[in-house]
Amino acid sequence: MSDNSGFFERVYEVCRKIPEGKVTSYGAIAKYLGAARSARMVGWAMNSSHNLEDVPAHRVVNRNGVLTGKHHFGGTNAMQQLLEEEGVQVKKLQILDFEKHFWDPMKELPQEI
């Protein structure tokens, strides 16, 4: 489990850098961290981040822009509300104009955190 906690902290470091009004995917974070096949583990990290107020987990969606983590926000539409407050439009749990809002850590951050 200690290996997971180190990986999770690296995921949180990337997530903290996602700008307001932007989103990224579980897979994009995994790829940036050199673990391209670990998108699911990034999802587990997001699920474990709810007591960390400085981790904007609402900005992490699946590769198609779908709010797959929605049910981890207390069964409400809080994830969608948080994104819409940042100017990201969501319809039927999917980011509209996903490419416009997509933030790629491979392009935006220095090589691996």
Side-chain angles (χ1 to χ4, degrees):
M1 197 67 170
S2 61
D3 288 337
N4 283 354
S5 64
F7 183 80
F8 283 16
E9 188 50 47
R10 291 170 57 216
V11 168
Y12 302 150
E13 286 181 46
V14 174
C15 190
R16 287 180 185 113
K17 297 184 182 311
I18 305 168
E20 187 173 311
K22 295 290 184 180
V23 295
T24 197
S25 67
Y26 306 103
I29 292 174
K31 183 177 178 184
Y32 174 76
L33 294 175
R37 298 177 140 287
S38 298
R40 183 165 288 165
M41 199 163 163
V42 172
W44 294 338
M46 293 293 90
N47 295 343
S48 298
S49 72
H50 295 295
N51 59 343
L52 304 173
E53 292 183 20
D54 65 334
V55 176
H58 65 282
R59 296 180 187 150
V60 183
V61 298
N62 83 0
R63 63 187 171 92
N64 298 312
V66 177
L67 280 55
T68 52
K70 172 194 180 309
H71 60 279
H72 295 288
F73 285 82
T76 67
N77 64 346
M79 185 177 187
Q80 180 172 337
Q81 287 178 331
L82 289 166
L83 287 168
E84 288 176 341
E85 286 171 9
E86 295 180 2
V88 178
Q89 291 184 312
V90 179
K91 185 173 184 178
K92 295 185 180 180
L93 300 179
Q94 187 159 11
I95 307 278
L96 299 180
D97 206 0
F98 181 53
E99 296 78 24
K100 173 186 166 192
H101 296 287
F102 185 73
W103 179 83
D104 186 349
M106 293 293 287
K107 295 177 182 174
E108 303 295 335
L109 295 177
Q111 207 46 36
E112 198 174 325
I113 289 179

